[in-house]
Amino acid sequence: MNARKPVYLDHAATSPMRPEVWEAMSSVIGEADFNPASTHAFGRKAQSKLEEARGVLADALGGDRGCMVFTGGGTLSDNLAVLGFARSCPEPPRLIVSSMEHKAVLESARHCEANGSEVHYLPVDSCGVVNLDALESLLEKPSDRKTLVSVMWANNEVGAVQPLAQICEMAHEHGALCHTDAVQAFGKIPVSVQDVPVDMLTITAHKLGGPVGIGLLYVADGVDLEPLAYGGSQERSLWPGTQNPTAATGFAVAARMAVEEMPSNAARWTQQRDRLGERILSGIPEAEIHCAGTAHRLPHLLSMGIPGCDQAIVLTSLDMLGLAVSGGSACSSGASRTSHVLKAMGLSEDGDYTVLRFSQGHDTSAEDIDLAADLVLKVVGRRCEELLAG
């Protein structure tokens, strides 16, 4: 009997490199693996490959090529957006961020706050959607400080999609800049700086089946940032250092494929996401789907909470059975470590509470989803029976 193939449902963490990406990167070895800043023929060829990739990403985002700044990844792009904005201001600025941002934004904001910036954290509702009235109230308050609003396009833990067009419009009406972390959203739902004219936008390659270690920050014309490092003029001097045309080539291929395949993938992901949730709820009625009250959820991501189960045991058991999922931050082994995202949504767990985040990729099949449901029901059902018996 053949061994069962493991099921990987943690694409929100990293989506394994697609064969097409690897082939594209391999094809430019000998052309792109030189220093693009060199003026000789080798350097010029590498520079050509870098700019070719930049153009593909500009098309994918609907922005100008010159606004695309390659960085070392999503976290570093977020850092550059928030810290670079703050450092460019003559006086400590005002920052308005949602309470469920990625830690790359939250920790950057806290660093700014420690250095004199005025920082406000926007509340969200039980579905994880930003309170627009609270944003309006903050923006209307008179302030001599320059202001940046940073709200992620879609949440990485629970999949809540924000009304970013309204957020951007409100920020601009009050003279503020708008940054969004679109790492989870890009390639899963439509993301365009033409449709939503944010001032800065973060994406990264490895969420798309591209290489790890390269990201991008879209920086609109007229936005001033101070670099976080010094020593070179690369990437408009905002991200100095020798660039990586080979990784940029892979990033571009992954982004192009993600955008092209998005309509068909999103329809399939949504159907499979809902089927997985329904199957688990049918066997574990006490479970809950996070953000189920809103239609605006990422199609590929399902976050569920299951009371009465130890998260570490559940995740380890699933892994041993061949199912890879993530848990987020939740109560484990009686120690309260509630995810800041769930806490912002008003969810607090008493005792053991398991969070399971399932996230699909381009090749996730209906068979994968059914097997995942079977394994969760097997592991959690057995655990719940033991608790009831005890």
Side-chain angles (χ1 to χ4, degrees):
M1 180 180 294
N2 293 329
R4 186 171 59 200
K5 181 181 178 182
V7 175
Y8 184 79
L9 290 180
D10 199 18
H11 290 266
T14 288
S15 195
M17 190 181 296
R18 299 185 61 164
E20 300 90 342
V21 170
W22 177 255
E23 290 169 8
M25 293 172 65
S26 299
S27 72
V28 298
I29 297 297
E31 296 179 283
D33 48 336
F34 296 96
N35 193 328
S38 299
T39 57
H40 48 60
F42 295 96
R44 293 196 303 273
K45 188 63 175 179
Q47 179 71 14
S48 174
K49 293 299 180 182
L50 182 72
E51 294 309 314
E52 181 180 325
R54 197 189 309 274
V56 172
L57 287 159
D59 290 341
L61 283 171
D64 293 335
R65 177 197 300 263
C67 297
M68 307 293 152
V69 177
F70 285 116
T71 71
T75 292
L76 298 171
S77 291
D78 283 344
N79 288 176
L80 178 58
V82 177
L83 295 172
F85 168 79
R87 293 176 63 168
S88 74
C89 297
E91 301 293 335
R94 177 174 61 168
L95 304 176
I96 302 174
V97 303
S98 87
S99 54
M100 50 193 285
E101 289 301 297
H102 190 280
K103 288 186 177 180
V105 168
L106 290 178
E107 293 301 325
S108 294
R110 288 172 186 140
H111 177 82
C112 293
E113 190 171 22
N115 287 276
S117 293
E118 177 186 323
V119 180
H120 301 275
Y121 300 93
L122 289 171
V124 299
D125 63 19
S126 60
C127 291
V129 178
V130 163
N131 186 317
L132 295 179
D133 290 336
L135 174 59
E136 183 72 24
S137 178
L138 285 170
L139 289 170
E140 286 178 344
K141 288 183 178 179
S143 176
D144 295 330
R145 301 174 185 244
K146 290 187 176 181
T147 301
L148 174 68
V149 176
S150 182
V151 175
M152 65 194 336
W153 203 306
N155 185 261
N156 58 307
E157 288 191 33
V158 295
V161 177
Q162 302 297 339
L164 200 68
Q166 292 172 265
I167 291 169
C168 184
E169 182 179 0
M170 291 167 65
H172 289 165
E173 284 178 354
H174 292 86
L177 297 183
C178 184
H179 163 253
T180 187
D181 179 332
V183 163
Q184 287 296 338
F186 180 71
K188 313 304 188 301
I189 59 175
V191 171
S192 168
V193 297
Q194 289 183 340
D195 298 334
V196 182
V198 292
D199 301 287
M200 292 181 283
L201 180 145
T202 295
I203 60 172
T204 194
H206 73 104
K207 307 294 188 182
L208 308 168
V212 173
I214 186 167
L216 183 138
L217 181 66
Y218 164 81
V219 184
D221 288 334
V223 174
D224 292 325
L225 296 179
E226 182 71 17
L228 307 185
Y230 302 91
S233 60
Q234 295 93 340
E235 302 303 313
R236 296 165 47 183
S237 296
L238 292 175
W239 199 259
T242 304
Q243 297 130 311
N244 189 341
T246 305
T249 296
F251 191 177
V253 171
R256 176 180 54 77
M257 294 182 69
V259 171
E260 289 176 353
E261 296 172 0
M262 181 174 53
S264 59
N265 279 344
R268 176 171 53 85
W269 286 334
T270 300
Q271 183 180 38
Q272 294 181 168
R273 178 200 68 190
D274 293 345
R275 174 174 171 78
L276 177 59
E278 290 166 2
R279 283 207 56 199
I280 292 174
L281 285 177
S282 68
I284 311 171
E286 62 271 27
E288 60 183 330
I289 296 176
H290 300 136
C291 300
T294 176
H296 302 293
R297 284 191 290 152
L298 288 173
H300 74 301
L301 191 150
L302 173 69
S303 175
M304 299 191 71
I306 306 172
C309 288
D310 184 288
Q311 178 164 285
I313 293 175
V314 171
L315 288 174
T316 301
S317 299
L318 291 174
D319 184 40
M320 292 176 66
L321 291 171
L323 174 61
V325 298
S326 66
S329 298
C331 296
S332 179
S333 300
S336 179
R337 293 196 309 134
T338 308
S339 156
H340 75 281
V341 171
L342 298 183
K343 188 178 292 185
M345 292 165 55
L347 298 175
S348 82
E349 304 83 38
D350 296 323
D352 287 334
Y353 186 83
T354 290
V355 175
L356 297 178
R357 183 187 69 173
F358 309 89
S359 48
Q360 305 174 69
H362 75 280
D363 58 353
T364 303
S365 67
E367 291 74 18
D368 293 333
I369 293 299
D370 286 337
L371 179 56
D374 290 341
L375 293 177
V376 170
L377 293 175
K378 177 180 180 180
V379 169
V380 177
R382 182 175 62 217
R383 178 59 179 157
C384 290
E385 287 174 4
E386 292 171 356
L387 289 170
L388 289 172

